[in-house]
Amino acid sequence: MSGQVFVALSLTPLLIGVLAAIACAVPGNFLLLRRQALIGDAISHVVLPGIVVAFLVTGRVSAWPMMLGAAAAAVVAVVLIEVIRRLGRIEPGAAMGVIFTAMFAGGVLLLEQSDTSNVHLDVEHALMGNLESLIWLDALGWTSLLDPRALAGLPPELTRLAVVTALVAVLTWLFWRPLKITTFDEGFAHGVGLPNTVIGLGLVILSAVAAVAAFDAVGSIIVIAMFICPPAAARLMTNRLETQVALSVLLAALSAILGYIFAGFGPLWLGFDNSVSAAGMIATVSGLMLLAAAIVGPHRRQT
Amino acid sequence: MAVTPLSVVPVVPASEDLAVYPLALRGLTVSYGQKPAIFSVDASFVPGQMTAIIGPNGAGKSTLLKAALGIITPLSGHVTVFGKALVDQRQRIAYVPQRASVDWDFPTRVIDVVLMGLYRELGLLGRIRRSHHDRAMACLTRVGMQDFATRQIGQLSGGQQQRVFLARALAQNADLYLLDEPFAGVDAATEKAIIAVLKDLRDAGRTIVAVHHDLATVAEYFDRALLLNVRRIAEGPVDQIVTPDLLERTYGGQLTMARMDPAQTAS
């Protein structure tokens, strides 16, 4: 593949895939250790009503209002889950189950009741995203990376995900100690004056922001997979949180790159004509990595 | 006085000087739903002494500690630490939660847990220097765990885990130590090691308050005892408090324990 074709057709989907994977995998480490890993699944369901409401308000399919609607719905869901968990004194999984089913159902009803027949709002798009279509038509080759006019034509999803990934990285670095201490030992954390509730909510809201940005570009399958698979695989390969988070970033990026390549060329190598969904393949690769780590990882739970 | 009473009625006589007590509770009531877990408990813990909190399952022993630390918000009553509001005094308290309250499969090493005890000094981004590391190692040495510094915490026995928790509290260099069941499920050697460290702390003028469940060792290990069964039954020097009569009033035979629903009254 020549440089021109690669930069125009593959570079941006690859970068978007990698950034989406990393933005979800980093908070995923903490969610996993707090036994809240399913929050990614919950968020990708609850954003549906937010997207539909944003569409009803603005009357058209445009990215920023829908992102805002989705983010608002995610935050509402997160707060409701916390409220139910604390007031009902039930485990977080049950609280999530109640909220995300109810909100997803509400979204479906809204979608049915509103006139969306003439626009492209469908389940397939929500699941798979459209990673392959996020191409950079202004690019003429590697030199376009230095050309401001060509750079202006980058897909907006790339810019949004770059900002969100940077936000995730900076906040995780800044609040590393509070996150680690509150995740390990809430009682002790309280004793030294750390606000457990604020940190827990902050983590989940950051996860929601990452999920919504990634969801918009790559669909919910990657989001759900990346919150769980790279952190879980990394946990099985090390006994230190610092190493675990670094490894999860590597595994997430690797899943995105390998998944994209396999989706595009794998079927051709096997003698089929068509390529397959990159989102599906990326999630599958991350699942296979987790399987491999579960079989040969050096730090599987000792019994 | 710099306290924020939660109850409307002032329960503290103006003449009483709370500043002499490392920890003082007045009219403390905590409820998880309908039934109070502790009811209107007054207690003053004496400085430089080791006090055991004793009572049956569900008596509210852990709840008392958690309310004293502000982990649970009391329904009414108030807490002073060295005569001041808790928030101003956090750096003077070290809390050792029940060992079973955390997931020991957490991916971290023994030394990292002890370094958590330095969080108030290090803050968000303070660099861990050689001196911090040496202090953490010294704390591990005091509990006999210096050879386990780089082990993952899940690889330790129950007694070793409890010692690591104590080392983390030592790193906090506090004046008041609150321990929740420090001897639960630990081996005899660990029990001896922990009690030796606690007695050293007391001899250095620190105050120890521990939830304890072994009546046989109370008199040997502790200077004072607080008998608790939802309400305060009695408090004082162990030889006056650990008496058949008062224990009978605290435990009420085993009837109280049999009636308790363990899921509701886990303390």
Side-chain angles (χ1 to χ4, degrees):
Chain A
M1 186 189 294
S2 74
Q4 184 190 340
V5 175
F6 174 78
V7 172
L9 297 184
S10 290
L11 182 64
T12 44
L14 266 175
L15 280 176
I16 287 169
V18 167
L19 287 173
I22 292 173
C24 294
V26 170
N29 282 286
F30 294 96
L31 294 176
L32 185 78
L33 292 169
R34 288 166 174 251
R35 309 194 184 289
Q36 294 182 321
L38 279 179
I39 205 102
D41 200 348
I43 289 165
S44 55
H45 280 82
V46 302
V47 296
L48 182 66
I51 289 173
V52 178
V53 168
F55 168 75
L56 291 176
V57 170
T58 61
R60 57 204 171 87
V61 180
S62 53
W64 279 110
M66 288 196 167
M67 284 269 294
L68 285 176
V75 171
V76 166
V78 160
V79 172
L80 284 177
I81 288 168
E82 273 301 303
V83 166
I84 289 188
R85 190 168 79 82
R86 281 170 195 275
L87 289 184
R89 296 184 190 288
I90 55 171
E91 53 151 335
M96 282 180 221
V98 168
I99 291 301
F100 83 66
T101 322
M103 287 185 71
F104 186 66
V108 171
L109 283 181
L110 267 179
L111 195 56
E112 269 192 0
Q113 290 301 310
S114 59
D115 179 23
T116 52
S117 50
N118 57 339
V119 296
H120 184 67
L121 260 182
D122 61 50
V123 173
E124 194 188 332
H125 178 88
L127 274 181
M128 303 290 197
N130 55 346
L131 192 52
E132 293 88 340
S133 70
L134 300 175
I135 51 178
W136 187 18
L137 289 175
D138 296 298
L140 301 170
W142 288 106
T143 49
S144 296
L145 286 172
L146 301 171
D147 176 2
R149 274 178 53 210
L151 286 174
L154 278 172
E157 286 85 351
L158 181 61
T159 323
R160 279 201 289 271
L161 268 173
V163 170
V164 167
T165 309
L167 184 74
V168 166
V170 167
L171 289 176
T172 306
W173 171 72
L174 195 58
F175 292 103
W176 180 265
R177 280 181 190 147
L179 274 170
K180 184 174 176 177
I181 293 175
T182 55
T183 302
F184 172 56
D185 189 343
E186 272 204 353
F188 172 81
H190 210 295
V192 296
L194 284 169
N196 283 304
T197 314
V198 175
I199 292 164
L201 264 179
L203 171 66
V204 176
I205 290 171
L206 182 67
S207 307
V209 171
V212 169
F215 174 79
D216 165 56
V218 300
S220 62
I221 286 183
I222 294 189
V223 173
I224 297 167
M226 288 304 147
F227 268 114
I228 298 178
C229 293
R235 174 66 192 92
L236 296 167
M237 294 163 72
T238 177
N239 266 334
R240 290 194 67 184
L241 186 60
E242 291 77 7
T243 319
Q244 180 190 319
V245 172
L247 268 175
S248 75
V249 168
L250 266 176
L251 291 177
L254 201 61
S255 314
I257 294 168
L258 289 179
Y260 185 80
I261 294 172
F262 290 164
F265 303 106
L268 297 178
W269 297 336
L270 294 172
F272 298 100
D273 290 334
N274 300 313
S275 54
V276 297
S277 147
M281 187 56 86
I282 290 171
T284 306
V285 168
S286 74
L288 291 175
M289 283 179 177
L290 176 55
L291 180 67
I295 294 169
V296 299
H299 294 290
R300 287 165 291 153
R301 189 194 292 264
Q302 281 92 14
T303 45
Chain B
M1 200 175 302
V3 293
T4 344
L6 290 163
S7 56
V8 185
V9 186
V11 285
V12 189
S15 59
E16 189 182 15
D17 185 12
L18 289 176
V20 302
Y21 298 117
L23 177 64
L25 317 174
R26 289 296 176 269
L28 205 60
T29 299
V30 176
S31 167
Y32 301 115
Q34 295 298 311
K35 278 176 65 183
I38 54 175
F39 184 76
S40 193
V41 172
D42 293 340
S44 304
F45 294 93
V46 179
Q49 297 270 289
M50 288 173 66
T51 305
I53 301 176
I54 300 168
N57 289 333
K61 305 186 293 291
S62 296
T63 301
L64 185 99
L65 284 192
K66 287 178 184 164
L69 283 155
I71 295 175
I72 302 170
T73 311
L75 220 55
S76 63
H78 73 214
V79 176
T80 59
V81 178
F82 296 100
K84 294 188 181 132
L86 173 71
V87 281
D88 304 327
Q89 301 286 330
R90 283 211 187 277
Q91 75 284 355
R92 297 182 73 178
I93 309 177
Y95 171 50
V96 180
Q98 281 185 23
R99 184 168 56 84
S101 68
V102 307
D103 177 9
W104 289 90
D105 199 37
F106 191 84
T108 198
R109 302 172 306 172
V110 166
I111 188 78
D112 299 319
V113 173
V114 181
L115 283 166
M116 287 180 192
L118 298 175
Y119 174 73
R120 288 193 71 97
E121 265 177 63
L122 290 167
L124 284 185
L125 298 172
R127 216 163 63 83
I128 296 171
R129 296 175 188 282
R130 185 83 232 163
S131 60
H132 296 121
H133 199 270
D134 289 347
R135 267 168 59 199
M137 279 308 293
C139 295
L140 277 177
T141 307
R142 282 179 76 178
V143 299
M145 288 292 291
Q146 65 280 8
D147 297 334
F148 295 83
T150 56
R151 290 280 188 93
Q152 199 264 328
I153 53 172
Q155 297 168 352
L156 306 178
S157 72
Q160 291 168 334
Q161 290 172 345
Q162 190 66 57
R163 293 192 207 193
V164 172
F165 260 15
L166 183 58
R168 179 178 66 179
L170 290 175
Q172 289 178 269
N173 194 23
D175 295 316
L176 169 63
Y177 286 80
L178 304 178
L179 301 94
D180 199 346
E181 302 258 12
F183 306 113
V186 305
D187 52 286
T190 296
E191 190 160 327
K192 278 208 181 70
I194 291 177
I195 204 69
V197 169
L198 294 181
K199 285 186 168 171
D200 278 352
L201 285 170
R202 177 203 51 199
D203 295 344
R206 316 298 171 89
T207 307
I208 317 285
V209 177
V211 171
H212 191 55
H213 59 202
D214 183 7
L215 291 174
T217 53
V218 176
E220 183 190 340
Y221 290 171
F222 292 90
D223 307 314
R224 303 176 69 88
L226 165 68
L227 298 183
L228 183 75
N229 191 348
V230 183
R231 295 159 188 270
R232 166 208 168 111
I233 309 293
E235 198 275 332
V238 275
D239 52 347
Q240 294 168 28
I241 290 299
V242 185
T243 62
D245 177 44
L246 284 173
L247 289 178
E248 170 66 26
R249 276 179 57 197
T250 308
Y251 286 81
Q254 294 304 305
L255 285 171
T256 346
M257 295 172 79
R259 275 206 309 269
M260 295 283 179
D261 174 7
Q264 289 237 319
T265 55
S267 53

